[in-house]
């Protein structure tokens, strides 16, 4: 652990050298720093990684959805408080029983080729997403729609989906059960309309620059793999007059120090993930340009429940969880404002209704946890003479590297485990994890799409494509399904509470830390309000540049 404590201070020195050296020409005149360079028409974002897909049915990571928010729009959209607001739909009505939603589309909603966006475009997209042949990783969010789950399970035809086109500007969606946050679901990228003629002509190749036709405030102009993604203002967007920035460029800068250096030298205007150093130091350097707020997210590990050594060995999974010192991870390893996590759900999710669903050992001393971990490790069949040899996989990222190295040291020191660290580029890692092809343990993380417990809880259901641990418990699925069908968030509490306790104590995954939203944003960028954006959904249509008068 001494080595992990040294890393932040060494990195800080490097950052001060790089930051100060690169800023001589950029920050010598503070008044000029407050306004955008003359003629600037492109907002440049350090987006942290290459997007995995720009297909609404397949975009499943932050790096992709950051772009999706620009090039697409659902029936609903969001404001900066993560509240659902009208998008392509100018209005809507909900039946008294909460089962039928009718959306009325804007007459001036158009595709980037100037053709009208119609109710049929949404019906096509929703049916495409739930079609098993599409194999959408995100279609599970649409499960409340009538027959959606049965369709995804191959038990009913796609044509039976509870979506009815009334006319070109009116669409009716019927649910199997009421969902109090359904309007938020309808703002998610998986619900975005898809241009049918393009998909039929090009298939998967349609979602590329030069072919993609979309309906958002921006359209895809260029996509250079591992180079950049450039989107430009869509003149046909229904609210184009309020879109102020002409272009947005997304740079897949994986290394956080490199992203910071690019920011310091004026190459980028926004950093998705800052380096894992003391926020106080960055705050002193950048002042109000460093913006943060609590985040509904979680860093955790998955144990591969589909094969040995973790299949049918709860004692081993629990032992490894107990042997992790989360306080040390938060304070000594990342030191970015993160807090220790003792639940697989952020404490603030769903208005804090599930903050007491927490491991019984959360308030134990680390010494007491380790004592129990050693007992369970021995009970699981391992010892100094017969140590566990395990692979710990993660995606390439400086912050994650430090976390995984620290965890491997804790397991080695506290239990004698021999850990093989393995990292890979995000796209490769994503497929490895979702196919359960990793050998032992895999890093995982989730950012809430909606402020509801179900957005986290349903990931451990048997057939959920985001169930990266391969966990399956029929009782858990039953309880979650019952919770999903409740009319209000409060009436769902008993079902979710029982389910979450059951799953957590099976240890298919183990929580690590909860990190805050932390971004660097240039002072001449106007309109970005982070304080209440706890989902970190960021639409570039909100922004403008401040120029010198």
């Amino acid at each position: 652990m001494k080595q992990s404590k040294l890393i932040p201070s060494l990195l800080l020195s490097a950052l001060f050298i790089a930051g100060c050296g690169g800023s001589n020409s950029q920050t010598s005149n503070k008044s000029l720093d407050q306004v955008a360079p003359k003629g600037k028409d492109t907002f440049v974002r350090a987006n942290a990684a290459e997007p995995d897909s720009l297909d609404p049915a397949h975009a499943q990571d932050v790096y992709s959805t950051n772009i999706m928010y620009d090039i697409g729009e659902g029936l609903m959209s969001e404001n900066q408080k993560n509240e659902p607001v009208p998008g392509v739909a100018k209005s809507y009505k909900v039946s008294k029983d909460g089962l039928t939603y009718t959306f009325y589309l804007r007459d001036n909603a158009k595709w980037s080729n100037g053709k009208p966006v119609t109710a049929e475009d949404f019906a096509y997209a929703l049916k495409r997403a739930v079609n098993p042949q599409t194999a959408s990783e995100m279609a599970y969010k649409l499960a409340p729609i009538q027959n959606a789950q049965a369709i995804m399970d191959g038990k009913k035809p796609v044509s039976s989906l509870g979506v009815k086109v009334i006319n070109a500007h009116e669409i009716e969606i019927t649910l199997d059960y009421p969902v109090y946050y359904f309007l938020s679901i309808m703002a998610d990228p998986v619900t975005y309309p898809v241009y049918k003629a393009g998909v039929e002509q090009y298939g998967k190749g349609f979602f590329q620059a030069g072919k993609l036709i979309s309906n958002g405030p921006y359209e895809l102009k260029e996509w250079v793999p591992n180079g950049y993604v450039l989107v430009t203002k869509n003149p046909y967007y229904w609210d184009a007059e309020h879109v102020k920035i002409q272009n947005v460029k997304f740079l897949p800068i994986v290394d956080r120090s490199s992203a910071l250096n690019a920011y310091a030298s004026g190459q980028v205007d926004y950093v998705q993930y800052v380096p894992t150093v003391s926020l106080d130091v960055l705050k002193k350097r950048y002042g109000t340009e460093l913006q943060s707020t609590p985040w509904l997210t979680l860093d955790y590990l998955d144990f591969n429940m589909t094969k040995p050594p973790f299949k049918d060995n709860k004692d081993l999974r629990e032992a490894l969880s107990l042997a992790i010192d989360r306080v040390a991870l938060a304070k000594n390893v990342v030191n970015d404002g993160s807090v220790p996590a003792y639940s697989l759900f952020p404490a603030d999710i769903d208005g804090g209704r599930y903050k007491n669903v927490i491991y019984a050992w959360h308030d134990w001393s680390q010494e007491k946890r380790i004592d129990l971990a050693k007992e369970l490790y021995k009970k699981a069949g391992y010892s100094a003479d017969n140590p566990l040899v395990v692979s710990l996989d993660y995606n390439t990222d400086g912050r994650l590297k430090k976390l995984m190295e620290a965890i491997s040291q804790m397991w080695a020191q506290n239990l004698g485990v021999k850990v093989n660290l393995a990292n890979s580029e995000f796209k490769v890692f994503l497929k490895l994890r979702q196919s359960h092809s990793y050998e032992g343990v895999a890093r995982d993380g989730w950012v809430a799409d909606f402020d509801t417990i179900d957005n986290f809880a349903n990931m451990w259901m048997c057939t959920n494509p985001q169930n990266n641990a391969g966990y399956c418990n029929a009782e858990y699925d039953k309880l979650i399904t019952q919770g999903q069908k409740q009319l209000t968030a409060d009436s769902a509490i008993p079902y979710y509470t029982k389910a979450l306790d059951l799953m957590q104590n099976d240890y298919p995954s183990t929580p690590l830390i909860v990190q805050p939203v932390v971004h660097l944003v240039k002072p001449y960028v106007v309109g970005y309000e982070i304080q209440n954006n706890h989902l970190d959904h960021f639409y570039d249509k909100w922004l403008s540049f401040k120029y010198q008068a």
Side-chain angles (χ1 to χ4, degrees):
M1 290 306 298
K2 290 182 179 178
Q3 184 179 7
S4 66
K5 291 181 182 179
L6 290 175
I7 291 174
S9 62
L10 292 174
L11 182 55
L12 279 176
S13 299
L15 289 176
F16 272 126
I17 294 170
C20 294
S23 64
N24 288 339
S25 61
Q26 296 294 327
T27 61
S28 58
N29 189 326
K30 288 294 182 182
S31 63
L32 290 179
D33 267 358
Q34 303 303 311
V35 296
K38 185 177 180 180
K40 182 176 176 62
D41 64 357
T42 302
F43 180 54
V44 185
R45 299 177 53 159
N47 200 39
E50 180 78 1
D52 71 318
S53 175
L54 295 182
D55 180 343
H58 295 294
Q60 58 179 320
D61 59 60
V62 172
Y63 325 114
S64 300
T65 54
N66 284 341
I67 303 170
M68 294 297 299
Y69 294 143
D70 280 1
I71 63 175
E73 184 172 74
L75 290 165
M76 302 298 293
S77 186
E78 292 177 294
N79 62 23
Q80 297 203 57
K81 295 181 181 179
N82 305 133
E83 298 167 334
V85 296
V88 175
K90 61 184 178 182
S91 62
Y92 61 88
K93 69 177 181 180
V94 186
S95 62
K96 290 183 179 180
D97 60 7
L99 291 176
T100 304
Y101 286 72
T102 305
F103 296 92
Y104 303 93
L105 279 64
R106 300 176 189 277
D107 295 336
N108 59 340
K110 295 181 180 181
W111 292 101
S112 54
N113 63 358
K115 294 185 177 181
V117 175
T118 68
E120 184 59 46
D121 294 321
F122 281 95
Y124 170 72
L126 294 171
K127 290 178 180 179
R128 175 178 178 266
V130 301
N131 190 329
Q133 294 184 357
T134 304
S136 169
E137 298 87 350
M138 307 306 283
Y140 69 90
K141 298 176 186 178
L142 305 176
I145 299 178
Q146 187 178 65
N147 296 328
Q149 191 61 57
I151 294 169
M152 289 186 280
D153 292 340
K155 297 177 180 178
K156 287 191 176 183
V158 176
S159 59
S160 69
L161 186 68
V163 176
K164 181 180 180 181
V165 174
I166 306 301
N167 56 55
H169 295 96
E170 185 176 345
I171 187 169
E172 181 181 278
I173 299 177
T174 303
L175 309 185
D176 271 330
Y177 48 88
V179 176
Y180 57 90
Y181 57 92
F182 186 69
L183 289 176
S184 292
I185 294 178
M186 298 313 293
D188 190 87
V190 75
T191 71
Y192 287 2
V194 176
Y195 195 69
K196 182 178 180 181
V199 174
E200 292 180 340
Q201 181 176 358
Y202 297 108
K204 294 181 180 179
F206 173 61
F207 300 94
Q208 299 175 2
K211 296 178 181 176
L212 182 61
I213 295 170
S214 56
N215 76 314
Y218 294 88
E219 58 181 314
L220 182 62
K221 187 71 173 180
E222 298 177 43
W223 184 355
V224 178
N226 296 308
Y228 63 87
V229 172
L230 178 67
V231 301
T232 191
K233 183 176 176 179
N234 174 14
Y236 294 108
Y237 179 57
W238 65 269
D239 197 27
E241 66 176 305
H242 293 115
V243 179
K244 302 301 182 183
I245 294 179
Q246 182 65 33
N247 307 296
V248 183
K249 194 172 189 177
F250 298 83
L251 305 181
I253 305 176
V254 175
D255 182 75
R256 298 179 185 221
S257 297
S258 297
L260 181 60
N261 290 339
Y263 183 87
S265 63
Q267 298 175 60
V268 302
D269 305 305
Y270 167 92
V271 176
Q272 178 73 26
Y273 297 131
V274 300
T276 52
V277 298
S278 170
L279 292 186
D280 290 338
V281 174
L282 290 177
K283 192 72 174 179
K284 183 177 180 180
R285 166 89 179 126
Y286 291 103
T288 57
E289 295 175 52
L290 186 76
Q291 301 195 33
S292 65
T293 196
W295 200 7
L296 295 177
T297 185
L298 181 73
D299 280 300
Y300 59 100
L301 299 177
D302 293 316
F303 299 113
N304 194 331
M305 301 280 286
T306 69
K307 62 180 73 171
F310 296 111
K311 183 179 181 181
D312 302 323
N313 199 334
K314 175 188 170 183
D315 290 331
L316 180 59
R317 302 192 300 267
E318 185 175 358
L320 293 183
S321 181
L322 286 162
I324 298 171
D325 186 343
R326 292 157 177 81
V327 173
L329 292 183
K331 291 187 176 181
N332 302 330
V333 179
V334 296
N335 195 24
D336 61 356
S338 293
V339 296
Y342 301 103
S343 168
L344 285 166
F345 317 94
D348 294 332
I349 195 82
D350 221 329
R353 290 179 174 85
Y354 299 90
K355 62 183 178 182
N356 293 323
V357 180
I358 193 169
Y359 286 114
W361 45 263
H362 75 278
D363 56 356
W364 291 10
S365 68
Q366 189 59 29
E367 290 75 14
K368 185 176 179 179
R369 292 176 196 160
I370 292 173
D371 286 342
L372 178 56
K374 289 179 178 178
E375 292 178 17
L376 292 169
Y377 186 67
K378 183 178 180 181
K379 185 179 176 182
Y382 296 93
S383 64
D385 295 329
N386 180 38
L388 171 68
V389 179
V390 68
S391 174
L392 177 54
D393 284 84
Y394 65 98
N395 53 290
T396 304
D397 178 276
R399 174 181 179 276
L400 296 177
K401 183 175 186 290
K402 294 173 191 175
L403 276 173
M404 299 306 110
E405 287 176 343
I407 291 169
S408 67
Q409 291 172 13
M410 292 172 186
W411 285 346
Q413 179 179 331
N414 297 328
L415 299 175
V417 177
K418 295 184 177 180
V419 183
N420 297 315
L421 291 172
N423 71 292
S424 53
E425 185 266 336
F426 188 73
K427 280 187 176 181
V428 175
F429 174 73
L430 203 61
K431 293 179 180 178
L432 178 80
R433 192 175 63 189
Q434 288 189 326
S435 64
H436 307 117
S437 298
Y438 61 98
E439 291 303 314
V441 188
R443 170 265 162 185
D444 212 331
W446 191 253
V447 179
D449 296 299
F450 334 111
D451 185 6
T452 170
I453 191 65
D454 189 63
N455 192 231
F456 271 83
N458 64 24
M459 289 193 294
W460 283 272
M461 296 180 76
C462 294
T463 59
N464 191 299
Q466 301 299 329
N467 184 351
N468 298 321
Y471 177 71
C472 188
N473 185 314
E475 179 64 16
Y476 180 78
D477 283 17
K478 178 182 177 181
L479 288 165
I480 294 299
T481 300
Q482 289 175 316
Q484 290 171 335
K485 295 180 179 179
Q486 300 307 304
L487 289 172
T488 67
D490 288 339
S491 63
I493 291 175
Y495 301 98
Y496 280 111
T497 298
K498 187 175 181 180
L500 303 183
D501 275 329
L502 172 65
M503 185 275 290
Q504 284 197 156
N505 287 293
D506 276 347
Y507 290 91
S509 306
T510 188
L512 300 175
I513 54 179
V514 174
Q515 60 179 308
V517 176
V518 183
H519 299 310
L520 276 167
V521 186
K522 289 294 185 182
Y524 50 73
V525 176
V526 179
Y528 180 50
E529 301 170 6
I530 193 174
Q531 292 76 21
N532 296 303
N533 193 339
H534 302 306
L535 297 177
D536 196 30
H537 294 174
F538 181 7
Y539 296 65
D540 292 310
K541 68 178 181 179
W542 296 331
L543 309 179
S544 62
F545 289 142
K546 180 169 63 176
Y547 299 100
Q548 191 167 16

